[in-house]
Amino acid sequence: MTHPTIIVRAATTADVKDIQAIRQAHIGAVLLGRELVDMYESVPEFLVAVDENNFVVGAGGLHVMWEDLAEVRSIVVSDLARSKGVGRAIVEGLVEKARELGIKRLFCLTFEVEFFAKSGFEIISDVPVDAQTYAEMVRSNDDGVAEFLDLARVKQNTLGNTRMLKRL
């Protein structure tokens, strides 16, 4: 995925500290903190946006939650690269990755409703899975899955966020 001077590619372990540095500015306001070890464990889920100088200027993750469902997570853009299409390029890359994996629905939990709406996400109020799938997913220890399922144990982390879904 390429935009004028931005290239979106798979993240590598060498990108993790740059991703974490961009995330730091948003922790507490719109992002939950993550330990560095968690970031390294999640490298295969992440794409990064790099500028013409090969500096990481943004990142985002795709976390598979179920057979046909994944979550777009942790979209971050450095302050210097805001309003330059970096976030959109990352989301487009994650959508492409989801399609390659056979994903049919993408979930996000966000304060940036307008941004995600422009990419085809719609606000949802329910949990769009059947009872059997819900029963399986509730066994997950992942907070993102708990957010999707709207479980009480993550309410303090998600208060005010909007749940959105995009069908591919």
Side-chain angles (χ1 to χ4, degrees):
M1 182 72 38
T2 306
H3 278 31
T5 57
I6 300 298
I7 296 172
V8 176
R9 61 165 173 77
T12 67
T13 56
D15 298 320
V16 169
K17 289 182 181 174
D18 293 332
I19 296 168
Q20 192 74 325
I22 295 170
R23 287 177 51 81
Q24 284 303 120
H26 306 284
I27 290 175
V30 295
L31 286 177
L32 296 175
R34 287 181 75 177
E35 297 295 332
L36 197 56
V37 67
D38 294 332
M39 294 298 297
Y40 281 110
E41 291 172 350
S42 299
V43 164
E45 295 183 357
F46 274 83
L47 298 180
V48 292
V50 295
D51 66 12
E52 64 276 359
N53 298 312
N54 207 32
F55 291 121
V56 174
V57 294
L62 181 74
H63 182 75
V64 175
M65 298 167 67
W66 198 250
E67 177 181 9
D68 67 337
L69 178 68
E71 180 185 9
V72 171
R73 315 183 147 171
S74 300
I75 304 291
V76 291
V77 176
S78 74
D79 290 338
L80 297 175
R82 288 197 176 276
S83 300
K84 296 182 180 176
V86 174
R88 181 169 304 272
I90 292 166
V91 171
E92 288 172 3
L94 294 171
V95 167
E96 185 177 312
K97 184 176 180 177
R99 284 191 172 116
E100 289 169 2
L101 292 171
I103 300 299
K104 304 289 185 223
R105 299 175 297 162
L106 288 177
F107 168 75
C108 71
L109 186 69
T110 186
F111 290 105
E112 302 294 337
V113 174
E114 187 176 324
F115 170 81
F116 281 99
K118 288 178 183 176
S119 293
F121 286 78
E122 297 178 356
I123 295 172
I124 60 171
S125 59
D126 61 342
V127 178
V129 295
D130 59 53
Q132 182 179 357
T133 302
Y134 184 96
E136 291 291 330
M137 290 179 76
V138 79
R139 296 177 180 160
S140 173
N141 293 320
D142 184 89
D143 283 341
V145 174
E147 291 165 349
F148 174 75
L149 296 175
D150 205 21
L151 300 180
R153 71 177 169 91
V154 294
K155 288 298 184 195
Q156 69 275 14
N157 296 335
T158 62
L159 193 61
N161 285 4
T162 300
R163 300 158 45 91
M164 300 183 80
L165 191 74
K166 176 182 175 90
R167 295 186 189 283
L168 304 182

